[in-house]
Amino acid sequence: MIINFFKHLHKINTHRFKVFVLCCKCGIPFRGLMHDLSKYSPIEFFEGVKYYTNGKHSPIIDCKKQNGYSKAWLHHKGRNKHHSEYWLDLAAPTKAPIIPFKYSVEMICDKIAASKTYNGKKYTNMSAYYYWNKNRDNEIMNRKIQGFITEVLELLGAYGEKKVLNKKYLLDIYNKHVKRKGN
Ligand SMILES: [Zn+2]
């Protein structure tokens, strides 16, 4: 228990640092600082310790398997705007609205950081794109934002972080998708 406490704490810190570095490259350092802070709250933190999984996958998955839901996740998604689930409202006219630029970019940084962690030495610039392509249909998200993320991760695979992860470049792609007609 006490070992998992420190392991889980370390996992959160390492993930937050990776996201912070990526957010700085993208010109949104403040989002990087704020990223996943709610993971230190007792409701999220102690569930993570209880279902600690050696970093192979998220403890939230194991908690959901056992209990049908995860209080940590419900708490997390309600407070963190970089999750598409934060913006979902099934009773609203637009169930999945357009997510503002900075949170969409923070979301991309989160996905890249997770890819780096889970792939370890096998990580390449394409890793995040492969993972996203396999799993994007599990995420209910505004189509324009989905298009934005897909294009950014594709370009990252082709050209690498130096070219793709900068604010002006990302903003151009974002605007192109958001201003597209239709939903
Ligand atoms: Zn998060």
Side-chain angles (χ1 to χ4, degrees):
M1 183 73 180
I2 192 80
I3 289 186
N4 286 352
F5 179 98
F6 288 107
K7 280 186 176 170
H8 184 57
L9 182 63
H10 178 72
K11 209 173 69 179
I12 297 174
N13 293 341
T14 337
H15 173 68
R16 288 191 64 248
F17 182 69
K18 281 188 179 134
V19 173
F20 175 69
V21 171
L22 292 162
C23 281
C24 287
K25 291 184 182 176
C26 297
I28 51 162
F30 187 67
R31 292 315 319 151
L33 277 178
M34 301 303 285
H35 184 80
D36 275 354
L37 277 182
S38 72
K39 283 193 181 167
Y40 299 114
S41 67
I43 188 166
E44 291 188 31
F45 189 83
F46 288 107
E47 189 184 293
V49 174
K50 188 170 172 195
Y51 295 94
Y52 187 79
T53 55
N54 272 320
K56 291 262 181 286
H57 59 267
S58 166
I60 285 170
I61 295 174
D62 291 15
C63 179
K64 282 187 198 173
K65 265 187 204 152
Q66 230 176 79
N67 306 299
Y69 58 87
S70 152
K71 282 187 180 169
W73 170 242
L74 296 172
H75 185 268
H76 189 80
K77 70 157 186 186
R79 283 157 188 82
N80 292 272
K81 296 177 185 167
H82 64 274
H83 287 287
S84 54
E85 292 85 347
Y86 175 95
W87 302 91
L88 284 186
D89 181 352
L90 299 183
T94 310
K95 294 179 176 65
I98 287 173
I99 301 171
F101 175 73
K102 57 183 175 183
Y103 304 118
S104 302
V105 172
E106 185 185 347
M107 191 186 287
I108 290 173
C109 293
D110 193 17
K111 290 181 193 304
I112 300 171
S115 253
K116 287 185 174 178
T117 301
Y118 293 130
N119 284 289
K121 284 192 182 116
K122 287 187 197 139
Y123 175 83
T124 69
N125 283 330
M126 285 302 286
S127 300
Y129 177 73
Y130 286 143
Y131 186 81
W132 166 246
N133 234 356
K134 254 192 290 167
N135 296 287
R136 68 174 158 190
D137 293 334
N138 301 333
E139 237 178 284
I140 303 167
M141 192 189 279
N142 183 281
R143 281 181 180 225
K144 290 174 180 173
I145 299 302
Q146 199 179 50
F148 169 62
I149 294 175
T150 304
E151 188 172 352
V152 171
L153 294 180
E154 211 169 29
L155 288 167
L156 177 71
Y159 301 115
E161 288 187 10
K162 205 163 183 238
K163 183 176 165 81
V164 177
L165 301 187
N166 82 72
K167 199 172 194 173
K168 202 196 157 295
Y169 192 85
L170 292 169
L171 203 52
D172 283 347
I173 304 168
Y174 179 84
N175 286 331
K176 183 182 88 184
H177 283 275
V178 167
K179 285 176 185 154
R180 212 179 60 209
K181 284 209 179 86
N183 22 209

